[in-house]
Amino acid sequence: MKSIFSARATQQRARLHLGVATLLTATFLLPMVSNPVRAAEDALEAPAVASDLVSRSLLLDVTKVGSRLVAVGERGHILFSDDSGLSWHQADVPVRVTLTAVSFPTPTHGWAVGHDGVILHSNDGGETWRKQLDGHQINELVEKQAQALLADAEAGVGDERLAVSLEDMAILAEDAQAFLEEGPTRPLLDVSFSNEREGIVVGAFGLILQTRDGGASWQSLIGQVENAFGFHHYAVERLGGTVFVAGEAGGLHRSRDSGESWERLESPYDGSFFGLVGDASRNLLIAYGLRGHVFQSRDQGDTWQRVRTPIDSSIEGGAILPDGSALLVGHGGVLLNGKVGDLSFTSHHLGSRGTYSAVTGVDEHHAIIVGQGGIHRIARSSLSEKVN
């Protein structure tokens, strides 16, 4: 296939293989590199394969909703547990792409996102899933929205939501057309739903999509978030009624009206943020990413304070537990443990030197970590002393 990417889009694509590979490991991108369109089509049409070893496979996110745990990962694997992570069952999933994130706003309704622009929905607590959207459809709706915004801007018709210049909007429209021709090569990297109807997903090359009807329809927010160069968005988090997005090159954005309008925040760091975790009851937001960098904000992102960590490896996932403990995990099998509001963490190595991707609390005594090697259930008492 002849590439029609602009010079800027080509640069962006190179950043995808560097930036997302850093976040998810290069293994996840091999199908896209070899033959992106064919591999994407096969993976989007083939269901996940049942396996007795699925709990040991590469998993990228885990969440707790009610008494159930749900984890997602490579090859369309989704698992759920109803006994605090002691045993796991594989869900029925209609795709075989790598899944990167999961969100359950209620015990029954959940969404998972992943490579090739896939968005999945479950209405039975994560036991069965159906596809709501994929990268083909995303490319079409993004290109349509970009062309409509460009036409209005060229005609002098203002849109108060537009956060980029006419010149930048023209470049974004050009890139959208290029992606339409290239196929579903852009991964979605995070998802957050506030209820059964309102959700936001984010991904590579500045992708942000929003739904207000539970995924029956999706809208692109292209041009509405100040990100003309199309830096990757790695994370989306809610703190009360405010939505935050974080990503490449220190990108931090905020919406105080559920995604209707956005503002770019002054960032304390120009490296990539791979995740956000918030605690509305304590009005605390934590951003983390490359080389052990962690920052916290207590004023909805207006100002940030550096949090000391004893590591220089990247942090991939985090959680704030009900008792005020904050757990962060990342490369090299490192877990960071601290108290909410403290400006320092202690480090622990839990036996593995691989990459941990996400963590969640199970109960007051245990936590679940996922990543390379699958699921790791740890006793929180093992974190009582610092391990170098």
Side-chain angles (χ1 to χ4, degrees):
M1 176 185 294
K2 181 180 179 181
S3 175
I4 64 170
F5 271 71
S6 65
R8 198 191 72 162
T10 301
Q11 293 172 353
Q12 289 178 323
R13 202 176 183 204
R15 290 201 338 273
L16 175 61
H17 297 302
L18 291 174
V20 179
T22 300
L23 176 63
L24 305 177
T25 81
T27 303
F28 308 158
L29 295 178
L30 290 178
M32 294 202 303
V33 173
S34 59
N35 191 336
V37 175
R38 177 61 183 275
E41 289 174 347
D42 291 346
L44 288 170
E45 294 174 1
V49 176
S51 171
D52 292 336
L53 301 178
V54 67
S55 64
R56 302 180 196 174
S57 65
L58 180 64
L59 297 171
L60 297 177
D61 197 17
V62 62
T63 189
K64 185 173 187 290
V65 52
S67 60
R68 172 166 286 186
L69 293 159
V70 180
V72 304
E74 66 174 345
R75 300 188 180 94
H77 293 159
I78 300 182
L79 300 87
F80 60 92
S81 172
D82 293 318
D83 57 6
S84 299
L86 293 173
S87 63
W88 293 81
H89 310 278
Q90 188 172 356
D92 292 328
V93 181
V95 298
R96 204 173 292 174
V97 301
T98 293
L99 301 173
T100 57
V102 61
S103 174
F104 271 82
T106 74
T108 54
H109 285 273
W111 282 261
V113 301
H115 282 207
D116 304 334
V118 73
I119 301 177
L120 306 176
H121 173 242
S122 173
N123 62 6
D124 60 5
E127 297 184 26
T128 60
W129 297 78
R130 68 178 182 86
K131 185 172 67 174
Q132 284 190 333
L133 204 67
D134 63 34
H136 296 289
Q137 297 162 304
I138 288 175
N139 286 341
E140 291 175 359
L141 70 89
V142 171
E143 196 273 339
K144 181 178 180 180
Q145 180 68 17
Q147 294 297 338
L149 287 171
L150 178 59
D152 286 346
E154 290 176 337
V157 178
D159 187 329
E160 61 182 13
R161 298 172 300 172
L162 201 61
V164 298
S165 66
L166 174 59
E167 179 182 3
D168 286 334
M169 192 64 239
I171 296 175
L172 288 174
E174 179 186 357
D175 290 346
Q177 177 63 38
F179 283 119
L180 184 63
E181 296 293 332
E182 185 74 2
T185 57
R186 293 181 285 182
L188 297 174
L189 301 174
D190 204 5
V191 54
S192 176
F193 271 74
S194 59
N195 53 51
E196 293 180 9
R197 299 184 61 82
E198 297 186 358
I200 292 177
V201 301
V202 300
F205 303 118
L207 272 178
I208 301 186
L209 305 176
Q210 181 172 8
T211 182
R212 297 191 182 279
D213 55 14
S217 63
W218 292 86
Q219 297 76 45
S220 165
L221 301 186
I222 187 171
Q224 297 178 31
V225 177
E226 185 183 338
N227 184 19
F229 196 74
F231 287 117
H232 308 320
H233 296 308
Y234 290 128
V236 56
E237 176 71 313
R238 297 174 186 271
L239 194 63
T242 303
V243 184
F244 297 88
V245 170
E248 191 180 12
L252 290 169
H253 301 86
R254 175 176 65 192
S255 174
R256 296 184 183 273
D257 52 14
S258 299
E260 284 294 327
S261 61
W262 294 84
E263 57 185 318
R264 186 180 181 91
L265 299 175
E266 183 175 349
S267 179
Y269 174 58
D270 59 6
S272 290
F273 289 115
F274 291 153
L276 295 167
V277 60
D279 186 335
S281 65
R282 297 175 174 90
N283 196 31
L284 177 71
L285 183 67
I286 296 176
Y288 50 84
L290 277 175
R291 299 178 180 176
H293 282 88
V294 179
F295 299 86
Q296 70 175 22
S297 174
R298 287 187 170 277
D299 54 13
Q300 302 260 317
D302 287 335
T303 61
W304 297 84
Q305 297 80 46
R306 177 76 180 268
V307 180
R308 295 185 300 275
T309 66
I311 64 171
D312 59 5
S313 55
S314 294
I315 301 170
E316 306 283 357
I320 297 177
L321 308 185
D323 66 357
S325 298
L327 302 178
L328 304 176
V329 297
H331 289 206
V334 169
L335 181 146
L336 300 177
N337 182 37
K339 280 291 186 180
V340 165
D342 285 355
L343 291 176
S344 65
F345 282 88
T346 58
S347 65
H348 306 263
H349 286 288
L350 304 178
S352 170
R353 294 290 173 173
T355 295
Y356 295 137
S357 303
V359 59
T360 189
V362 177
D363 51 41
E364 61 181 320
H365 301 296
H366 298 89
I368 293 289
I369 301 172
V370 300
Q372 291 179 322
I375 298 164
H376 311 268
R377 189 175 188 267
I378 66 167
R380 292 179 56 196
S381 59
S382 66
L383 308 180
S384 59
E385 295 183 1
K386 179 178 178 180
V387 179
N388 294 318

